[in-house]
Amino acid sequence: MSNRLANETSPYLLQHADNPVDWRPWSPGAFEEARERGVPVLLSVGYSSCHWCHVMAHESFEDDATAAYLNEHFVSVKVDREERPDVDAVYMEAVQAATGQGGWPMTVFMTPDGEPFYFGTYFPPEPRHGMPSFRQVLEGVHSAWADRRDEVADVAGKITRDLAARELDHGAGGLPGEDELAQALLGITREYDPGSGWLGAGDTKFPPSMVIEFLLRHHVRTGSEAALEMAEGICEAMARSSLYDQLGGGFHRYVLRPRPGATLVPHFEKMLYDNALLCRVYAHLWRITGSALARRVALETADFMVRELRTNEGGYASALDADSEDGAGRHVEGAFYVWTPAQLTETLGERDGAAAARHFAVTEEGTFEEGSSVLQLPDGGEELADGVRDRLLAARTLRVRPGRDDKLVAAWNGLAIAALAEVGALFDRPDLVERATEAADVVVRIHMDAHARLSRTSKDGQVSLHGGVLEDYADVAEGFLALASVTGEGVWLEFAGFLLDIVLDQFVGEEGVLYDTAHDAEKLIRRPQDPTDNATPSGWTAAASALLSYAAHTGSSAHREAAEGALGVVRALGPRAPRFIGWGLAAAEAVLDGPREVAVVGAPTDPLTGALHRTALLSAAPGAVVAVGVPEGEFPLLAGRGLVGGGPAAYVCRRFTCEAPVTTPEDLAEALT
């Protein structure tokens, strides 16, 4: 029989709907039941494509004896971290403060008032590697609750008070300037390994897309060759490694070195947000350098998103799982992606199979598990004969595909809209611009209500009950602004304005600080507020960027002031922790550059209008905004701008000063340099 998750929209929650554990979704009713029964709450947080979440579910949550113990002594609450990032953030902060580390699955025991008192992540079914078994943890927590409840309550209260008392240095001192950005660049330089091209000293490497965007913008604004060299080095290292799917395009979530001296291998899940951010970064790298590798990766990643993540509604699914069935019927990580020399030979024949093995570094010993290898593209590798890659990709499509989390997350669709719109425009792929427009329509039609309030997630056209958080409003606005610049359709600027007005009304606190949840959102033990970037831009820095762009489009002083107030945190954190506030640093580069405002005035059917518009989009000026249309058209930037000599013209403005209009693409490119 199904438990109380059966009517949820989250694929992760639905994966647990048939567990013998009597799961509840996060709701006031769950805590009220715990209060009435006098038992603690077990909070388990994960997400659909999380490998160890699946492992713990199979080992413990599908076990009848464990489930019976849980059902008797606890109220069990299951949360999808992608659906409720606010719940995840609050309790992850407690886990990290108590244990020094975090991750998923996250396991938290709390009082019926939501106050946490014991924490962990994955627990095995038997004691292992110094970890207690999950059953031992449950019995220990139950014993403490039954026999020492006052002590437990004291611990929970202290943890909650400590969390509430934490203060954020939000940088009230003002905007970051040249000194702070130079210090941030120096900090990144210290962590960059020019030999490998990777950032950071550890054996686990996540794609630093937001840092790369800062490096590219810093190079364009200052001419720093060091910034460009690091951006190029990181992008090449990622594109040639097993982080990148060398056959189907798109990036896995991260790579790690399983043992000293071993080849980096990926954690195979593919996330929409990673691919949207990286797709855009590689397009921006191409825009500066003309790199053929950057162009190929940007286009392949865009095509991957459309081919494998696009849903029936026209939006983009959250993720592909890491695991799938191998040829022996086992459900294992990476089965869809790995190859042996024998499999290459079987698919391609002796000669082409051997060439493919050399080209993709597939060895008899294997670089992954059980003699299999993850495809890589070593520098200087042998070129493949025409059609070999296509034959391998066709053969791979016959394998059992990884599962897909079909949940649409508003924020991540906003990132995808921006990426597809820009890549489509830069590489003359109108089909990608059309896919971006369709996704934007989905967000407006399904996720946005009559008051422009966003729902965080949906599935199969049905929205969840959870309201959007700051990153949803900011990233969707970012996507709409990019789409407006590419298409010349002012309605997207208007929709972005609706969302950013809600940011000003619902998410901004005293002294310009930002909160991750709205003023009228559900009250948790602490209101989440994190300006640091993680796998995606933080809501704080994403909002600063979108507010700045909207202000450049419209001249709104309220939006400009809010953006500048939010960027004070970059002044505080940028020099100390640049890797964790890359999007904020990129926004700061836009502030220092203006950002530039480009108005292209002309008839849409005039080829010169198109040429000027494309030149404006090809500009790498940090944070530049572009409006195109007839005089007095849909965009505020077009107001008062006329044709020159009866023909199209472009106007470039910066910091309330406009240059004389230009009428050739060459002069416009010069004005934007």
Side-chain angles (χ1 to χ4, degrees):
M1 293 181 61
S2 298
N3 56 41
R4 303 182 215 197
L5 302 180
N7 295 321
E8 295 297 306
T9 58
S10 159
Y12 176 65
L13 298 188
L14 292 172
Q15 287 170 358
H16 294 270
D18 293 322
N19 289 170
V21 177
D22 189 14
W23 293 112
R24 283 94 166 145
W26 180 277
S27 65
F31 291 92
E32 183 59 34
E33 180 181 340
R35 198 170 292 113
E36 291 174 356
R37 288 175 51 194
V39 297
V41 173
L42 164 68
L43 172 66
S44 176
V45 182
Y47 57 103
S48 176
S49 56
C50 166
H51 172 72
W52 287 103
C53 299
H54 293 308
V55 171
M56 189 168 176
H58 177 68
E59 292 174 340
S60 296
F61 301 144
E62 295 173 9
D63 178 71
D64 288 332
T66 302
Y69 193 89
L70 267 172
N71 295 340
E72 180 179 358
H73 298 294
F74 299 87
V75 167
S76 300
V77 174
K78 178 62 78 171
V79 165
D80 181 344
R81 66 173 289 257
E82 297 171 350
E83 188 175 62
R84 291 299 304 266
D86 52 340
V87 173
D88 177 63
V90 166
Y91 290 100
M92 185 61 75
E93 186 176 11
V95 172
Q96 290 173 331
T99 68
Q101 59 185 10
W104 299 276
M106 177 168 63
T107 306
V108 180
F109 295 91
M110 60 182 73
T111 71
D113 293 323
E115 297 182 335
F117 60 85
Y118 189 77
F119 317 90
T121 52
Y122 164 79
F123 289 106
E126 296 90 22
R128 188 185 304 159
H129 305 306
M131 291 188 292
S133 72
F134 187 50
R135 181 61 178 263
Q136 287 174 325
V137 170
L138 294 178
E139 291 172 351
V141 170
H142 169 64
S143 175
W145 182 262
D147 301 334
R148 304 189 303 278
R149 190 170 306 186
D150 289 345
E151 180 182 334
V152 169
D154 287 344
V155 169
K158 182 180 185 304
I159 290 170
T160 302
R161 289 191 298 273
D162 288 348
L163 288 174
R166 289 188 169 200
E167 292 187 3
L168 172 70
D169 181 0
H170 62 274
L175 282 167
E178 296 287 357
D179 287 346
E180 286 81 14
L181 296 180
Q183 290 176 54
L185 180 66
L186 180 60
I188 294 168
T189 303
R190 288 173 176 148
E191 296 195 55
Y192 176 66
D193 177 6
S196 69
W198 291 100
L199 200 61
D203 286 333
T204 302
K205 310 289 187 184
F206 287 87
S209 51
M210 292 147 281
V211 169
I212 300 169
E213 184 66 30
F214 159 62
L215 292 173
L216 293 175
R217 290 186 180 192
H218 190 76
H219 163 73
V220 171
R221 189 181 63 82
T222 68
S224 168
E225 289 302 320
L228 180 60
E229 287 173 7
M230 285 190 287
E232 289 182 298
I234 298 167
C235 284
E236 180 160 0
M238 292 192 299
R240 291 188 176 279
S241 76
S242 60
L243 181 72
Y244 187 67
D245 180 355
Q246 303 294 342
L247 291 184
F251 290 84
H252 301 293
R253 186 161 168 252
Y254 62 86
V255 288
L256 55 87
R257 199 177 308 280
R259 59 190 178 279
T263 301
L264 289 167
V265 296
H267 188 48
F268 289 91
E269 58 194 333
K270 284 182 166 182
M271 314 303 293
L272 173 61
Y273 55 73
D274 281 329
N275 285 285
L277 289 164
L278 290 165
C279 180
R280 201 177 184 192
V281 158
Y282 277 87
H284 292 174
L285 176 61
W286 170 84
R287 188 166 60 181
I288 295 169
T289 66
S291 162
L293 177 66
R295 181 183 191 278
R296 176 174 67 80
V297 170
L299 283 168
E300 288 178 356
T301 303
D303 287 335
F304 154 74
M305 288 193 291
V306 172
R307 183 180 67 247
E308 299 193 34
L309 294 178
R310 187 168 177 265
T311 67
N312 292 334
E313 297 80 36
Y316 289 84
S318 297
L320 297 180
D321 286 355
D323 304 355
S324 58
E325 287 189 17
D326 65 3
R330 301 174 302 170
H331 200 69
V332 296
E333 187 175 11
F336 186 71
Y337 301 101
V338 298
W339 294 81
T340 64
Q343 289 172 325
L344 294 177
T345 299
E346 181 182 359
T347 302
L348 302 171
E350 288 286 348
R351 186 186 63 182
D352 287 345
R358 292 190 294 270
H359 182 78
F360 291 120
V362 176
T363 67
E364 291 292 343
E365 299 79 17
T367 58
F368 185 52
E369 296 174 354
E370 299 180 358
S372 64
S373 295
V374 191
L375 303 190
Q376 304 168 68
L377 196 63
D379 193 12
E382 178 178 337
E383 287 300 314
L384 288 176
D386 287 343
V388 166
R389 191 166 172 268
D390 291 339
R391 287 157 62 195
L392 287 175
L393 183 60
R396 197 178 76 175
T397 61
L398 302 178
R399 297 177 176 180
V400 178
R401 302 189 64 81
R404 188 172 81 168
D405 183 339
D406 282 334
K407 174 177 77 270
L408 272 62
V409 176
W412 306 349
N413 273 262
L415 297 175
I417 291 164
L420 293 172
E422 289 190 354
V423 170
L426 293 178
F427 299 118
D428 195 22
R429 285 282 302 274
D431 59 308
L432 295 178
V433 178
E434 187 175 347
R435 299 292 86 76
T437 303
E438 290 170 351
D441 286 334
V442 168
V443 173
V444 172
R445 180 166 42 87
I446 295 176
H447 282 250
M448 188 182 294
D449 69 13
H451 303 287
R453 298 298 293 264
L454 286 173
S455 294
R456 168 73 176 172
T457 63
S458 71
K459 185 177 182 297
D460 300 329
Q462 179 183 352
V463 294
S464 70
L465 300 177
H466 309 300
V469 296
L470 180 59
E471 71 163 348
D472 294 305
Y473 286 89
D475 288 338
V476 171
E478 177 86 12
F480 288 172
L481 290 166
L483 193 58
S485 288
V486 164
T487 64
E489 296 176 3
V491 65
W492 300 117
L493 177 64
E494 186 176 1
F495 278 128
F498 294 155
L499 297 176
L500 293 173
D501 284 345
I502 292 172
V503 170
L504 297 183
D505 180 61
Q506 286 288 330
F507 293 89
V508 180
E510 295 180 2
E511 298 183 342
V513 302
L514 292 169
Y515 291 94
D516 293 331
T517 54
H519 297 327
D520 58 6
E522 177 187 355
K523 300 299 185 287
L524 303 173
I525 60 170
R526 171 179 168 84
R527 190 175 182 187
Q529 181 188 42
D530 186 359
T532 58
D533 300 328
N534 198 306
T536 60
S538 70
W540 188 307
T541 58
S545 176
L547 287 163
L548 182 66
S549 295
Y550 184 77
H553 264 294
T554 63
S556 167
S557 58
H559 293 81
R560 174 83 183 202
E561 289 168 6
E564 292 181 353
L567 288 174
V569 76
V570 181
R571 182 185 181 96
L573 296 181
R576 302 201 309 262
R579 281 182 59 195
F580 301 99
I581 199 154
W583 203 254
L585 291 166
E589 289 289 346
V591 170
L592 292 182
D593 197 62
R596 322 254 181 140
E597 305 149 5
V598 187
V600 176
V601 182
T605 55
D606 191 319
L608 181 55
T609 303
L612 291 170
H613 183 209
R614 177 167 175 78
T615 300
L617 295 174
L618 283 169
S619 166
V625 300
V626 180
V628 61
V630 296
E632 307 297 332
E634 295 182 85
F635 291 85
L637 283 177
L638 300 176
R641 316 290 190 198
L643 302 175
V644 174
Y651 297 76
V652 179
C653 302
R654 182 184 182 200
R655 299 194 186 104
F656 311 107
T657 302
C658 297
E659 300 179 7
V662 295
T663 57
T664 69
E666 294 77 15
D667 287 343
L668 177 56
E670 178 67 24
L672 287 168
T673 301

PDB file of all heavy atoms in Angstrom, residues 341-365:
ATOM      1  N   PRO A 341      37.226  -1.951 -24.214  1.00  0.00           N
ATOM      2  CA  PRO A 341      37.738  -2.120 -25.572  1.00  0.00           C
ATOM      3  C   PRO A 341      36.934  -3.140 -26.368  1.00  0.00           C
ATOM      4  O   PRO A 341      36.700  -2.942 -27.576  1.00  0.00           O
ATOM      5  CB  PRO A 341      39.178  -2.588 -25.347  1.00  0.00           C
ATOM      6  CG  PRO A 341      39.554  -2.008 -24.020  1.00  0.00           C
ATOM      7  CD  PRO A 341      38.304  -2.066 -23.198  1.00  0.00           C
ATOM      8  N   ALA A 342      36.478  -4.205 -25.704  1.00  0.00           N
ATOM      9  CA  ALA A 342      35.700  -5.223 -26.415  1.00  0.00           C
ATOM     10  C   ALA A 342      34.380  -4.660 -26.924  1.00  0.00           C
ATOM     11  O   ALA A 342      33.931  -4.992 -28.039  1.00  0.00           O
ATOM     12  CB  ALA A 342      35.445  -6.418 -25.488  1.00  0.00           C
ATOM     13  N   GLN A 343      33.732  -3.812 -26.128  1.00  0.00           N
ATOM     14  CA  GLN A 343      32.468  -3.207 -26.574  1.00  0.00           C
ATOM     15  C   GLN A 343      32.691  -2.265 -27.751  1.00  0.00           C
ATOM     16  O   GLN A 343      31.870  -2.207 -28.672  1.00  0.00           O
ATOM     17  CB  GLN A 343      31.821  -2.458 -25.406  1.00  0.00           C
ATOM     18  CG  GLN A 343      31.261  -3.363 -24.327  1.00  0.00           C
ATOM     19  CD  GLN A 343      30.804  -2.593 -23.100  1.00  0.00           C
ATOM     20  OE1 GLN A 343      31.411  -1.584 -22.724  1.00  0.00           O
ATOM     21  NE2 GLN A 343      29.745  -3.068 -22.466  1.00  0.00           N
ATOM     22  N   LEU A 344      33.809  -1.535 -27.733  1.00  0.00           N
ATOM     23  CA  LEU A 344      34.118  -0.668 -28.868  1.00  0.00           C
ATOM     24  C   LEU A 344      34.340  -1.495 -30.131  1.00  0.00           C
ATOM     25  O   LEU A 344      33.853  -1.142 -31.217  1.00  0.00           O
ATOM     26  CB  LEU A 344      35.356   0.179 -28.561  1.00  0.00           C
ATOM     27  CG  LEU A 344      35.224   1.225 -27.445  1.00  0.00           C
ATOM     28  CD1 LEU A 344      36.566   1.921 -27.224  1.00  0.00           C
ATOM     29  CD2 LEU A 344      34.156   2.258 -27.771  1.00  0.00           C
ATOM     30  N   THR A 345      35.065  -2.588 -29.986  1.00  0.00           N
ATOM     31  CA  THR A 345      35.326  -3.446 -31.148  1.00  0.00           C
ATOM     32  C   THR A 345      34.035  -4.068 -31.659  1.00  0.00           C
ATOM     33  O   THR A 345      33.804  -4.149 -32.883  1.00  0.00           O
ATOM     34  CB  THR A 345      36.332  -4.544 -30.774  1.00  0.00           C
ATOM     35  OG1 THR A 345      37.565  -3.928 -30.371  1.00  0.00           O
ATOM     36  CG2 THR A 345      36.584  -5.482 -31.938  1.00  0.00           C
ATOM     37  N   GLU A 346      33.182  -4.518 -30.755  1.00  0.00           N
ATOM     38  CA  GLU A 346      31.906  -5.124 -31.150  1.00  0.00           C
ATOM     39  C   GLU A 346      31.049  -4.136 -31.932  1.00  0.00           C
ATOM     40  O   GLU A 346      30.365  -4.507 -32.889  1.00  0.00           O
ATOM     41  CB  GLU A 346      31.159  -5.591 -29.909  1.00  0.00           C
ATOM     42  CG  GLU A 346      29.824  -6.251 -30.209  1.00  0.00           C
ATOM     43  CD  GLU A 346      29.088  -6.663 -28.948  1.00  0.00           C
ATOM     44  OE1 GLU A 346      29.622  -6.452 -27.839  1.00  0.00           O
ATOM     45  OE2 GLU A 346      27.963  -7.174 -29.069  1.00  0.00           O
ATOM     46  N   THR A 347      31.106  -2.864 -31.547  1.00  0.00           N
ATOM     47  CA  THR A 347      30.277  -1.851 -32.198  1.00  0.00           C
ATOM     48  C   THR A 347      30.894  -1.347 -33.494  1.00  0.00           C
ATOM     49  O   THR A 347      30.181  -1.117 -34.478  1.00  0.00           O
ATOM     50  CB  THR A 347      30.072  -0.655 -31.236  1.00  0.00           C
ATOM     51  OG1 THR A 347      29.465  -1.116 -30.033  1.00  0.00           O
ATOM     52  CG2 THR A 347      29.200   0.415 -31.874  1.00  0.00           C
ATOM     53  N   LEU A 348      32.221  -1.211 -33.520  1.00  0.00           N
ATOM     54  CA  LEU A 348      32.883  -0.516 -34.622  1.00  0.00           C
ATOM     55  C   LEU A 348      33.744  -1.398 -35.503  1.00  0.00           C
ATOM     56  O   LEU A 348      34.170  -0.960 -36.587  1.00  0.00           O
ATOM     57  CB  LEU A 348      33.778   0.598 -34.054  1.00  0.00           C
ATOM     58  CG  LEU A 348      33.101   1.669 -33.192  1.00  0.00           C
ATOM     59  CD1 LEU A 348      34.159   2.548 -32.535  1.00  0.00           C
ATOM     60  CD2 LEU A 348      32.160   2.520 -34.044  1.00  0.00           C
ATOM     61  N   GLY A 349      34.045  -2.605 -35.071  1.00  0.00           N
ATOM     62  CA  GLY A 349      35.007  -3.423 -35.782  1.00  0.00           C
ATOM     63  C   GLY A 349      36.410  -3.211 -35.237  1.00  0.00           C
ATOM     64  O   GLY A 349      36.664  -2.292 -34.448  1.00  0.00           O
ATOM     65  N   GLU A 350      37.347  -4.063 -35.659  1.00  0.00           N
ATOM     66  CA  GLU A 350      38.691  -4.066 -35.091  1.00  0.00           C
ATOM     67  C   GLU A 350      39.415  -2.732 -35.282  1.00  0.00           C
ATOM     68  O   GLU A 350      39.927  -2.148 -34.334  1.00  0.00           O
ATOM     69  CB  GLU A 350      39.523  -5.192 -35.731  1.00  0.00           C
ATOM     70  CG  GLU A 350      39.130  -6.587 -35.288  1.00  0.00           C
ATOM     71  CD  GLU A 350      39.599  -6.892 -33.870  1.00  0.00           C
ATOM     72  OE1 GLU A 350      40.409  -6.101 -33.332  1.00  0.00           O
ATOM     73  OE2 GLU A 350      39.156  -7.904 -33.307  1.00  0.00           O
ATOM     74  N   ARG A 351      39.461  -2.240 -36.526  1.00  0.00           N
ATOM     75  CA  ARG A 351      40.274  -1.049 -36.792  1.00  0.00           C
ATOM     76  C   ARG A 351      39.694   0.191 -36.118  1.00  0.00           C
ATOM     77  O   ARG A 351      40.383   0.891 -35.373  1.00  0.00           O
ATOM     78  CB  ARG A 351      40.374  -0.821 -38.307  1.00  0.00           C
ATOM     79  CG  ARG A 351      41.328   0.325 -38.674  1.00  0.00           C
ATOM     80  CD  ARG A 351      41.291   0.626 -40.155  1.00  0.00           C
ATOM     81  NE  ARG A 351      39.958   1.096 -40.558  1.00  0.00           N
ATOM     82  CZ  ARG A 351      39.623   1.389 -41.809  1.00  0.00           C
ATOM     83  NH1 ARG A 351      40.504   1.223 -42.791  1.00  0.00           N
ATOM     84  NH2 ARG A 351      38.410   1.819 -42.098  1.00  0.00           N
ATOM     85  N   ASP A 352      38.412   0.458 -36.381  1.00  0.00           N
ATOM     86  CA  ASP A 352      37.803   1.653 -35.789  1.00  0.00           C
ATOM     87  C   ASP A 352      37.665   1.523 -34.273  1.00  0.00           C
ATOM     88  O   ASP A 352      37.747   2.521 -33.547  1.00  0.00           O
ATOM     89  CB  ASP A 352      36.429   1.920 -36.413  1.00  0.00           C
ATOM     90  CG  ASP A 352      36.528   2.442 -37.835  1.00  0.00           C
ATOM     91  OD1 ASP A 352      37.630   2.857 -38.233  1.00  0.00           O
ATOM     92  OD2 ASP A 352      35.511   2.422 -38.547  1.00  0.00           O
ATOM     93  N   GLY A 353      37.459   0.305 -33.788  1.00  0.00           N
ATOM     94  CA  GLY A 353      37.363   0.110 -32.347  1.00  0.00           C
ATOM     95  C   GLY A 353      38.671   0.438 -31.656  1.00  0.00           C
ATOM     96  O   GLY A 353      38.691   1.089 -30.595  1.00  0.00           O
ATOM     97  N   ALA A 354      39.794  -0.003 -32.249  1.00  0.00           N
ATOM     98  CA  ALA A 354      41.103   0.302 -31.667  1.00  0.00           C
ATOM     99  C   ALA A 354      41.387   1.802 -31.728  1.00  0.00           C
ATOM    100  O   ALA A 354      41.939   2.387 -30.781  1.00  0.00           O
ATOM    101  CB  ALA A 354      42.193  -0.475 -32.406  1.00  0.00           C
ATOM    102  N   ALA A 355      41.006   2.443 -32.840  1.00  0.00           N
ATOM    103  CA  ALA A 355      41.212   3.893 -32.956  1.00  0.00           C
ATOM    104  C   ALA A 355      40.376   4.645 -31.924  1.00  0.00           C
ATOM    105  O   ALA A 355      40.845   5.610 -31.304  1.00  0.00           O
ATOM    106  CB  ALA A 355      40.859   4.356 -34.366  1.00  0.00           C
ATOM    107  N   ALA A 356      39.135   4.199 -31.718  1.00  0.00           N
ATOM    108  CA  ALA A 356      38.272   4.851 -30.735  1.00  0.00           C
ATOM    109  C   ALA A 356      38.826   4.668 -29.322  1.00  0.00           C
ATOM    110  O   ALA A 356      38.755   5.581 -28.491  1.00  0.00           O
ATOM    111  CB  ALA A 356      36.856   4.301 -30.832  1.00  0.00           C
ATOM    112  N   ALA A 357      39.388   3.512 -29.029  1.00  0.00           N
ATOM    113  CA  ALA A 357      39.967   3.279 -27.710  1.00  0.00           C
ATOM    114  C   ALA A 357      41.121   4.240 -27.459  1.00  0.00           C
ATOM    115  O   ALA A 357      41.257   4.796 -26.356  1.00  0.00           O
ATOM    116  CB  ALA A 357      40.437   1.835 -27.587  1.00  0.00           C
ATOM    117  N   ARG A 358      41.966   4.446 -28.467  1.00  0.00           N
ATOM    118  CA  ARG A 358      43.073   5.393 -28.300  1.00  0.00           C
ATOM    119  C   ARG A 358      42.541   6.825 -28.188  1.00  0.00           C
ATOM    120  O   ARG A 358      43.012   7.615 -27.371  1.00  0.00           O
ATOM    121  CB  ARG A 358      44.044   5.278 -29.478  1.00  0.00           C
ATOM    122  CG  ARG A 358      44.809   3.958 -29.520  1.00  0.00           C
ATOM    123  CD  ARG A 358      45.920   4.005 -30.561  1.00  0.00           C
ATOM    124  NE  ARG A 358      45.389   4.106 -31.916  1.00  0.00           N
ATOM    125  CZ  ARG A 358      45.093   3.056 -32.691  1.00  0.00           C
ATOM    126  NH1 ARG A 358      45.266   1.820 -32.233  1.00  0.00           N
ATOM    127  NH2 ARG A 358      44.639   3.234 -33.909  1.00  0.00           N
ATOM    128  N   HIS A 359      41.560   7.157 -29.011  1.00  0.00           N
ATOM    129  CA  HIS A 359      41.007   8.512 -29.044  1.00  0.00           C
ATOM    130  C   HIS A 359      40.375   8.895 -27.708  1.00  0.00           C
ATOM    131  O   HIS A 359      40.549  10.021 -27.217  1.00  0.00           O
ATOM    132  CB  HIS A 359      39.960   8.589 -30.163  1.00  0.00           C
ATOM    133  CG  HIS A 359      39.344   9.946 -30.343  1.00  0.00           C
ATOM    134  ND1 HIS A 359      39.985  10.972 -30.987  1.00  0.00           N
ATOM    135  CD2 HIS A 359      38.132  10.437 -29.958  1.00  0.00           C
ATOM    136  CE1 HIS A 359      39.201  12.041 -31.000  1.00  0.00           C
ATOM    137  NE2 HIS A 359      38.066  11.746 -30.386  1.00  0.00           N
ATOM    138  N   PHE A 360      39.625   7.956 -27.099  1.00  0.00           N
ATOM    139  CA  PHE A 360      38.871   8.235 -25.880  1.00  0.00           C
ATOM    140  C   PHE A 360      39.528   7.679 -24.612  1.00  0.00           C
ATOM    141  O   PHE A 360      38.914   7.682 -23.549  1.00  0.00           O
ATOM    142  CB  PHE A 360      37.460   7.655 -25.993  1.00  0.00           C
ATOM    143  CG  PHE A 360      36.579   8.356 -27.000  1.00  0.00           C
ATOM    144  CD1 PHE A 360      36.043   7.649 -28.075  1.00  0.00           C
ATOM    145  CD2 PHE A 360      36.288   9.704 -26.869  1.00  0.00           C
ATOM    146  CE1 PHE A 360      35.211   8.279 -29.002  1.00  0.00           C
ATOM    147  CE2 PHE A 360      35.461  10.340 -27.791  1.00  0.00           C
ATOM    148  CZ  PHE A 360      34.930   9.632 -28.861  1.00  0.00           C
ATOM    149  N   ALA A 361      40.780   7.214 -24.706  1.00  0.00           N
ATOM    150  CA  ALA A 361      41.530   6.708 -23.552  1.00  0.00           C
ATOM    151  C   ALA A 361      40.806   5.558 -22.859  1.00  0.00           C
ATOM    152  O   ALA A 361      40.705   5.514 -21.629  1.00  0.00           O
ATOM    153  CB  ALA A 361      41.816   7.835 -22.561  1.00  0.00           C
ATOM    154  N   VAL A 362      40.296   4.613 -23.655  1.00  0.00           N
ATOM    155  CA  VAL A 362      39.671   3.402 -23.113  1.00  0.00           C
ATOM    156  C   VAL A 362      40.749   2.320 -23.057  1.00  0.00           C
ATOM    157  O   VAL A 362      41.351   1.983 -24.076  1.00  0.00           O
ATOM    158  CB  VAL A 362      38.495   2.946 -23.994  1.00  0.00           C
ATOM    159  CG1 VAL A 362      37.904   1.631 -23.482  1.00  0.00           C
ATOM    160  CG2 VAL A 362      37.414   4.033 -24.032  1.00  0.00           C
ATOM    161  N   THR A 363      40.992   1.771 -21.873  1.00  0.00           N
ATOM    162  CA  THR A 363      42.093   0.833 -21.687  1.00  0.00           C
ATOM    163  C   THR A 363      41.579  -0.537 -21.259  1.00  0.00           C
ATOM    164  O   THR A 363      40.442  -0.684 -20.805  1.00  0.00           O
ATOM    165  CB  THR A 363      43.063   1.349 -20.609  1.00  0.00           C
ATOM    166  OG1 THR A 363      42.387   1.348 -19.336  1.00  0.00           O
ATOM    167  CG2 THR A 363      43.533   2.760 -20.935  1.00  0.00           C
ATOM    168  N   GLU A 364      42.443  -1.531 -21.390  1.00  0.00           N
ATOM    169  CA  GLU A 364      42.085  -2.884 -20.941  1.00  0.00           C
ATOM    170  C   GLU A 364      41.904  -2.922 -19.427  1.00  0.00           C
ATOM    171  O   GLU A 364      41.042  -3.632 -18.913  1.00  0.00           O
ATOM    172  CB  GLU A 364      43.171  -3.887 -21.361  1.00  0.00           C
ATOM    173  CG  GLU A 364      43.245  -4.142 -22.859  1.00  0.00           C
ATOM    174  CD  GLU A 364      42.019  -4.881 -23.390  1.00  0.00           C
ATOM    175  OE1 GLU A 364      41.276  -5.480 -22.580  1.00  0.00           O
ATOM    176  OE2 GLU A 364      41.815  -4.860 -24.618  1.00  0.00           O
ATOM    177  N   GLU A 365      42.724  -2.166 -18.703  1.00  0.00           N
ATOM    178  CA  GLU A 365      42.599  -2.135 -17.245  1.00  0.00           C
ATOM    179  C   GLU A 365      41.355  -1.375 -16.799  1.00  0.00           C
ATOM    180  O   GLU A 365      40.768  -1.656 -15.756  1.00  0.00           O
ATOM    181  CB  GLU A 365      43.833  -1.472 -16.620  1.00  0.00           C
ATOM    182  CG  GLU A 365      45.142  -2.179 -16.907  1.00  0.00           C
ATOM    183  CD  GLU A 365      45.673  -1.860 -18.304  1.00  0.00           C
ATOM    184  OE1 GLU A 365      45.203  -0.863 -18.920  1.00  0.00           O
ATOM    185  OE2 GLU A 365      46.530  -2.630 -18.786  1.00  0.00           O
TER     186      GLU A 365
END
